[in-house]
Amino acid sequence: QALQKSIKETKQRHEDWSEKKIRETAEKIIIGAIKFEMIKVSADQTITFDIDQALKFDGFTAAYLQYVYARIQSIIKKSKIQNPNVKSNSKSKCQNINFTEKQEHELIIKLAKYPEVIIRAGENYNPAEVAKYLFELAQEFNEYYHKVQILKAEEKIMAARLALIDSVSKVIKNGLNLLGIQTME
């Protein structure tokens, strides 16, 4: 039932996709949703699975995190700089950039906490800490995205901002991977 609902939702959003791509995407979404709904709660809490809640693209769900990851990939693809952390000239474009926006500083601070969260989650045998962190990071990114111009900024600043959001996407992908959840481009 969950897979059929996911297929239906994916078809509605992407009518131009092939049946194979729709099914593959829907499977990743629903498997992620089921895993995340179990992982996001602490061991001392009761797990209640609500398919409608689990498939929401907003809120504390795997679908939301997968969506944020895909959205960042889309922003990067729309830019003139196709891969901000791989291109050899991006490093020189990002040197001597002082991030001036409050949201940039908050995003950097949140990114810096990732290793600490992973260690704490491992020590406490609590993957819910990783899930919560990823959700908070995604929220920080969304606030940043809505308040700060990324693609319309001067090229040097745009390159730095793209590198910043690329770092966010890598942490989200890595964190979801630790939880056994796949991302989609």
Side-chain angles (χ1 to χ4, degrees):
Q1 287 176 344
L3 179 59
Q4 291 310 312
K5 183 169 179 62
S6 183
I7 288 171
K8 180 181 173 190
E9 293 287 328
T10 305
K11 261 186 191 176
Q12 287 176 347
R13 286 176 168 77
H14 302 285
E15 295 172 358
D16 57 326
W17 285 8
S18 70
E19 288 295 319
K20 181 181 178 186
K21 186 172 182 177
I22 288 171
R23 184 167 184 86
E24 287 173 355
T25 301
E27 285 176 359
K28 288 179 183 179
I29 291 170
I30 198 61
I31 290 169
I34 292 168
K35 286 181 179 182
F36 195 80
E37 291 301 304
M38 289 186 277
I39 289 170
K40 76 179 188 180
V41 297
S42 299
D44 60 342
Q45 294 176 311
T46 303
I47 298 170
T48 305
F49 185 77
D50 177 344
I51 189 170
D52 294 322
Q53 180 63 33
L55 289 177
K56 284 189 174 183
F57 285 93
D58 58 355
F60 193 22
T61 66
Y64 172 69
L65 296 173
Q66 290 167 321
Y67 169 74
V68 168
Y69 175 82
R71 178 191 236 180
I72 293 171
Q73 298 312 302
S74 176
I75 293 166
I76 292 169
K77 285 177 186 163
K78 286 180 186 175
S79 73
K80 295 172 190 161
I81 302 169
Q82 291 300 313
N83 193 335
N85 282 339
V86 174
K87 283 207 164 209
S88 59
N89 64 353
S90 70
K91 187 173 182 181
S92 62
K93 286 183 181 179
C94 295
Q95 288 180 341
N96 301 318
I97 293 289
N98 290 324
F99 287 114
T100 57
E101 300 293 330
K102 176 185 174 201
Q103 290 79 19
E104 290 166 333
H105 293 272
E106 290 171 357
L107 204 49
I108 291 166
I109 290 167
K110 187 57 123 177
L111 284 168
K113 292 180 181 180
Y114 181 60
E116 171 187 320
V117 169
I118 298 304
I119 291 168
R120 189 174 58 245
E123 290 173 348
N124 296 333
Y125 302 102
N126 188 1
E129 292 185 39
V130 176
K132 182 180 178 215
Y133 168 84
L134 293 175
F135 175 64
E136 291 170 356
L137 178 63
Q139 287 180 309
E140 289 277 347
F141 163 76
N142 275 328
E143 185 174 328
Y144 175 71
Y145 178 71
H146 290 297
K147 292 184 178 178
V148 177
Q149 291 290 328
I150 297 172
L151 297 178
K152 293 181 182 178
E154 171 196 334
E155 187 176 350
K156 191 174 181 180
I157 293 169
M158 179 181 67
R161 288 177 177 168
L162 287 168
L164 176 59
I165 67 169
D166 188 51
S167 296
V168 171
S169 77
K170 286 178 178 173
V171 168
I172 290 172
K173 183 174 186 167
N174 182 272
L176 286 174
N177 185 43
L178 288 173
L179 299 176
I181 298 170
Q182 294 180 315
T183 55
M184 291 140 299
E185 297 298 310

